Amino acid sequence: MDHAEVLRRLTINDERVADGAALGDDALSGRDRALVRIAAAVAVGASVPTYGAEIDVAVEAGIDPAEVVGVLAAVVPVVGLPTVVAAAPRVALALGLEPVEGWDDADAAADDAAAEGAPRRPG
């Protein structure tokens, strides 16, 4: 299905594309698709397991941790710094980074910052 048909079906909320499977995903490479999905996870405030699954797929597609962090930097102007601050500790955990002092407080501080509209640092 070409891009115009996909857009038409999305525009009319065609039930055949409700799960996204019928949309096709061959326009993007596996690497690009993985990076876009990480960006989407940041935008919706995904859970740690979701980041884990998406980052695992990204790593399998040849994406390195620096590129994952690059996604965080790239989406700041669109989703806002508080959203990215909230995502950062979840992304770090999904990348298998070791906890550091104050790490357990990072999620709570990031969630507070997102709620107040300003970033906070743990500790």
Side-chain angles (χ1 to χ4, degrees):
M1 161 176 12
D2 72 2
H3 68 280
E5 181 62 16
V6 169
L7 283 173
R8 186 189 74 72
R9 289 182 183 199
L10 288 170
T11 300
I12 64 170
N13 197 18
D14 187 322
E15 66 184 38
R16 293 174 290 180
V17 298
D19 66 357
L23 296 175
D25 58 5
D26 55 347
L28 296 176
S29 69
R31 285 179 51 82
D32 290 344
R33 190 175 316 103
L35 291 171
V36 168
R37 290 177 64 99
I38 292 168
V42 172
V44 301
S47 64
V48 172
T50 298
Y51 281 110
E54 296 303 335
I55 289 173
D56 285 349
V57 169
V59 169
E60 289 174 18
I63 294 167
D64 64 40
E67 291 174 295
V68 172
V69 174
V71 169
L72 295 179
V75 300
V76 168
V78 177
V79 302
L81 185 59
T83 300
V84 173
V85 168
R90 296 175 181 132
V91 169
L93 287 171
L95 288 171
L97 296 177
E98 293 294 321
V100 295
E101 185 177 338
W103 190 264
D104 292 339
D105 298 332
D107 258 345
D111 289 342
D112 289 346
E116 294 175 15
R120 286 193 186 164
R121 299 175 72 193

